[in-house]
Amino acid sequence: MNNGWNDGMGGGNWWWMTITMFAILGGLVWVGVTLVRNGNHAPHPQTPGAPTPPTRATPQELLAERLARGEIEPDDYRERLAALNDRPNG
């Protein structure tokens, strides 16, 4: 009959538990350090064939889209385009 608090562990098995604990803790520290280091780097360059992020359309492009959708008339388009091109930069 086994009445000890250490049922089934035997004499030297606690060493394996200690080694395993340190291995797991070391792995967690390694993962944490790796994540912190990689978080401080610039993003990787775009891979070929990957979709590019959308860019903002210029006011002239937005105006041309409105003309293409039929929201404004060609005369209105030319008038607004001239106003956009004549505005001062600033």
Side-chain angles (χ1 to χ4, degrees):
M1 187 155 101
N2 217 350
N3 290 330
W5 61 273
N6 196 11
D7 291 340
M9 286 303 293
N13 287 340
W14 64 274
W15 281 103
W16 290 113
M17 286 177 48
T18 303
I19 291 169
T20 303
M21 179 189 70
F22 281 116
I24 290 172
L25 287 175
L28 289 174
V29 167
W30 176 77
V31 167
V33 168
T34 302
L35 289 174
V36 168
R37 283 185 182 172
N38 287 341
N40 293 333
H41 291 301
H44 296 288
Q46 191 76 21
T47 57
T52 57
T55 57
R56 287 186 66 179
T58 65
Q60 289 82 358
E61 291 170 338
L62 292 174
L63 190 59
E65 288 176 13
R66 290 186 63 197
L67 176 65
R69 287 192 299 259
E71 294 176 7
I72 58 175
E73 297 295 322
D75 292 336
D76 194 23
Y77 168 77
R78 285 188 285 276
E79 185 179 316
R80 291 176 187 227
L81 185 61
L84 283 173
N85 292 332
D86 290 340
R87 69 179 179 170
N89 291 335

